[in-house]
Amino acid sequence: MFSAMNDQRQKRWKKCLILTGDAHTGEQLAMLLESHGWKISQVHSDREAYERMLRENIDAVIADIDGVDLGGLGVLSYCHHHDRSIATYAVTPIDDGYRKKLARDLGGCRGYFYLANDSHDIDTSRGMAAGIASGLLEGRERCGV
């Protein structure tokens, strides 16, 4: 998935912005992606996310869409409509089909990181987290599941 910088094509660190309301969830995602060569920025509000995107070149955004007040869906939608080169992913419970559809339709969401059993833990056996180890993503070249 988010692969390590192991070939000549990648000349700089890929940058990923993570928007989560829970620091534990953000740290789990950061550890997972940093081990594959990604430079991570974590924010905890949609305002911080927008400000960071204006200041930096971001390759991917992972936004928590479980907490409506966090504004994750709006951030994904903003990326999809204003800079389609930014790959978008969502953090959500596996059984939330309604928000997953919104993330896909409005935010161009290319995949999901699932929360495990009503907790703030990322379920590493499903979705994008499971695919990272198998090499599904190659930065911007291949971003779907």
Side-chain angles (χ1 to χ4, degrees):
M1 242 185 207
F2 290 94
S3 67
M5 295 186 304
N6 57 0
D7 63 13
Q8 301 297 341
R9 294 176 295 171
Q10 196 159 354
K11 296 182 181 181
R12 66 172 179 85
W13 284 79
K14 297 276 188 178
K15 291 183 182 178
C16 181
L17 179 68
I18 298 173
L19 168 62
T20 62
D22 181 76
H24 175 72
T25 304
E27 286 300 319
Q28 282 187 315
L29 289 167
M31 288 187 341
L32 189 64
L33 299 174
E34 285 172 342
S35 68
H36 289 277
W38 283 75
K39 182 178 178 187
I40 305 300
S41 297
Q42 288 187 62
V43 294
H44 301 290
S45 76
D46 55 350
R47 182 183 177 107
E48 287 179 285
Y50 294 125
E51 289 172 356
R52 186 67 62 108
M53 286 187 287
L54 290 173
R55 289 193 320 259
E56 298 178 24
N57 290 324
I58 302 293
D59 298 300
V61 171
I62 301 172
D64 185 342
I65 61 170
D66 189 37
V68 177
D69 59 330
L70 186 59
L73 188 58
V75 168
L76 295 181
S77 181
Y78 175 83
C79 292
H80 182 63
H81 294 286
H82 295 292
D83 189 349
R84 289 185 182 247
S85 69
I86 298 174
T88 57
Y89 303 89
V91 177
T92 183
I94 196 164
D95 61 350
D96 192 346
Y98 176 71
R99 282 199 196 110
K100 286 175 14 183
K101 183 177 180 351
L102 286 175
R104 188 174 47 251
D105 294 348
L106 299 176
C109 187
R110 299 176 181 185
Y112 306 95
F113 290 90
Y114 294 114
L115 297 171
N117 301 325
D118 296 326
S119 72
H120 294 287
D121 292 328
I122 296 296
D123 184 346
T124 57
S125 68
R126 300 172 190 224
M128 298 304 294
I132 287 175
S134 65
L136 273 178
L137 280 188
E138 286 291 327
R140 292 184 190 174
E141 297 83 20
R142 168 93 173 112
C143 296
V145 266

